[in-house]
């Protein structure tokens, strides 16, 4: 089993936390509601929802809200993140979120789920962000 893989029970709990966060989405402009939940290695789950702004560019994705909350709470070691929407296609993290997740979480698991469809997909972060730029290039 790959290090980033979760048990079914862990995946269910993470998806549930992301779905609950999605209910709190502040998607005023797009109406595209996203929830994310990040699982720390100590078992703590930190969730986030997307928060939009009228100038659009200050909109923050659910994944980044969850990550920044977790870092601010002092968590530093992570295993996986779940991302939940209600779109017909499972929604993967955007490029900026992939980069920031790589920076602070390394090769975690990424679970994609949808409110109204049973199918899920699971990836490692490096499958979604191959050859990532990171601190080791800053020599
Ligand atoms: N969004 C996320 O929160 N996460 C994603 O993975 C993709 C996009 C948000 C940003 C914006 O509030 C809305 O979805 C539409 O792009």
């Amino acid at each position: 089993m790959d290090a980033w893989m979760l048990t079914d029970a862990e995946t269910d709990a993470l998806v549930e936390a992301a779905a609950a966060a999605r209910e709190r989405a502040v998607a005023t402009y797009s109406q595209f509601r996203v929830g994310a939940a990040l699982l720390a290695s100590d078992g703590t789950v930190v969730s986030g929802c997307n928060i939009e702004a009228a100038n659009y560019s200050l909109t923050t994705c659910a994944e980044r809200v969850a990550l920044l909350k977790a870092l601010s709470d002092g968590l530093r070691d992570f295993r996986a993140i779940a991302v939940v929407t209600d779109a017909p296609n499972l929604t993967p993290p955007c490029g900026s979120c992939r980069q920031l997740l790589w920076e602070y979480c390394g090769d975690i698991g990424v679970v994609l789920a949808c409110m109204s469809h049973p199918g899920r997909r699971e990836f490692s972060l490096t499958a979604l962000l191959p050859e990532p730029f990171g601190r080791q290039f800053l020599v």
Side-chain angles (χ1 to χ4, degrees), residues 7 44 61 73 82-83 86 90 98 100 119 123 125 130 138:
T7 65
T44 306
C61 292
D73 285 350
V83 184
D86 198 19
L90 296 172
R98 294 179 198 201
L100 205 64
F123 303 87
L125 185 60
L138 298 176

Side-chain angles (χ1 to χ4, degrees), residues 40-139:
S41 298
D42 70 357
T44 306
V45 172
V46 180
S47 68
C49 60
N50 56 328
I51 300 176
E52 299 188 343
N55 74 340
Y56 296 175
S57 69
L58 287 177
T59 290
T60 307
C61 292
E63 296 91 324
R64 255 177 289 169
V65 171
L67 175 60
L68 297 179
K69 278 174 66 182
L71 292 170
S72 177
D73 285 350
L75 297 165
R76 292 291 182 271
D77 200 42
F78 303 99
R79 291 179 59 204
I81 189 166
V83 184
V84 173
T85 64
D86 198 19
N89 297 316
L90 296 172
T91 303
C94 76
S96 299
C97 287
R98 294 179 198 201
Q99 183 66 39
L100 205 64
L101 287 167
W102 171 253
E103 173 83 32
Y104 289 106
C105 306
D107 199 16
I108 58 169
V110 181
V111 181
L112 308 182
C114 171
M115 305 288 295
S116 47
H117 304 282
R120 291 177 185 166
R121 294 191 70 193
E122 294 180 33
F123 303 87
S124 67
L125 185 60
T126 50
L128 298 177
L129 187 70
E131 303 293 334
F133 175 78
R135 66 193 68 177
Q136 73 275 20
F137 292 97
L138 298 176
V139 289

